[in-house]
Amino acid sequence: MKETRIVKILKETTSVGIETIVNVKGWVRTKRGNNNVAFIALNDGSTVLNIQVVVDIDKFDENKIKQITTGTSLSVTGKLVVSTGKGQSVEILADEIEILGLADTETFPLQKKGHSMEFLRSIAHLRPRTNYFGCVLRLRHAMAFAIHKYFNDNGFFYLHTPIITSADAEGAGEMFRVTTLNLDNIPRDEHGKVNYSEDFFGKPTNLTVSGQLNGEMGAMALGKIYTFGPTFRAENSNTPRHLAEFWMIEPEMAFYDLQDNMDTAEEFIKYCIHYALENNFDDLQFLNDFFDKELINRLQTIIDVDFIRLSYTEAIDILINSGRKFEFKVAWGTDLQAEHERYLVEQHFKKPVILIDYPKEIKAFYMKQNEDGNTVRAMDVLFPKIGEIIGGSQREESLEKLLSAIQERNMSQDELRYYLDTRRFGTAIHSGFGLGFERLLLFVTGMTNIRDVIPFPRTPQNAEF
Ligand code: 4AD
Ligand code: MG
């Protein structure tokens, strides 16, 4: 008999049919009872909710039922009935129980509830079996789906950009090298430098830090595109908001200026949050009840408010006049730290903020230069609890200005030959941004550490699992 998913039994009880025989397969969360009857809470991952299996011990081999402990995988067949107990609307009266796999009580680590997040990180291969991570992983899926849906419904095309590249899109130099050279015997040229012509691609290559440059090629042909893929940064930041491998969503739109870009970013992120509230309420309710009592409230509020929009220069004034003692000093020209971003969002405005027109020195070469000669048309979307969730900009469409930005930064014009061609042939204003997928998930789940919203986190000194 084909199993029925527990979510279907609980949410679509009438269509499944009371008094019908069903089969469920899943893992035991708890077992309680006495010599006559056992109650097994079974979870199959389709929902945070368990189905209760009622076992009349007389009908079974008692020793077999004794073997069933937390973590055991079971196949249960029985009649679906309205429950007379409290805590569940329906339950299954077991006719047949097949033990698929036992879980040794002595060694299965998820016996009791209330493990710390740190401990669960050390068993990342088993933590999806907990309610927390079940919720997080279902939400992660839902957000990925919502993102594709938003863009598809709005006329964007999904563009696959390369993972291996020779470009440093952000110019920050935080790249993981990709090589097949023998590190124990590196080929050198006559100056003693590494001879990359002998490497796999005949030149230095790395894992991408952003798909944007390729994304721009797509937008300058298809009009509106987005990328959604893994991104790598070798920054040695051991913070609750940085991963060495994270997923980024990068839409890029031809004929959009910064204003259009901000409108798109705000609408898009609200859409994702709305989608979670509409489609994953049980998961959010669980996280709200057991992890973060403000979660659902916070999500609802974000959808209802208009994001504040202001310039970097205005933000610096607010920070300086705040009278606050920050760990990092505030001065025009320096990059904002998370503490500054969170002050603006959480204390000053109490709303998400979109900051624009940053000093050109702290932003990447491709951003559109403002008339003032000092700032560029950058935008960062700042969120409560997170700080920067989106980074983007209007792009410089003038070949001449782009060339001078490249020169100022001592970057290789030759490497960017293909990129510059978009400005040579049919250039047009265009804009885009990057949303850190795990930062979005931090916000949507209420988790406080980015390591807890990706199944297998990669951070400095940690590539386990
Ligand atoms: O601000 P960033 O560096 O912007 C870009 O890469 C642009 N090329 C995007 C674009 O315009 N197409 O990164 C974008 C976002 C950040 O706002 C943040 O949410 C996330 O990516 N991010 C990280 N998330 C997790 N771990 C890290 N180490 C991250 N670095 C950036
Ligand atoms: Mg940024």
Side-chain angles (χ1 to χ4, degrees), residues 363 380 388 391:
K363 291 291 184 188
D380 277 8
E388 180 189 337

Side-chain angles (χ1 to χ4, degrees), residues 170 233 335 363 379-380 388 390-392:
E170 293 305 296
R233 303 241 171 134
D335 211 355
K363 291 291 184 188
M379 70 171 205
D380 277 8
E388 180 189 337
I390 283 178

Side-chain angles (χ1 to χ4, degrees), residues 225-239:
I225 64 91
Y226 69 105
T227 70
F228 185 173
T231 312
F232 307 87
R233 303 241 171 134
E235 52 193 338
N236 202 358
S237 313
N238 244 316
T239 83

Side-chain angles (χ1 to χ4, degrees), residues 82-111:
V82 172
S83 176
T84 49
K86 46 180 201 290
Q88 65 280 321
S89 55
V90 292
E91 59 195 16
I92 294 172
L93 304 180
D95 289 327
E96 277 170 51
I97 297 180
E98 189 188 343
I99 295 178
L100 303 175
L102 293 171
D104 178 37
T105 341
E106 296 295 311
T107 49
F108 181 58
L110 295 171
Q111 293 299 337

Side-chain angles (χ1 to χ4, degrees), residues 109-120:
L110 295 171
Q111 293 299 337
K112 14 180 232 316
K113 296 184 180 130
H115 292 294
S116 73
M117 288 293 160
E118 287 76 12
F119 172 71
L120 292 176

Side-chain angles (χ1 to χ4, degrees), residues 179-182 185-189 193-204:
T179 181
T180 53
L181 292 178
N182 178 359
N185 185 15
I186 297 174
R188 309 239 167 223
D189 63 16
K193 293 243 169 77
V194 179
N195 186 0
Y196 284 106
S197 67
E198 288 188 27
D199 204 350
F200 189 89
F201 296 105
K203 62 176 175 177

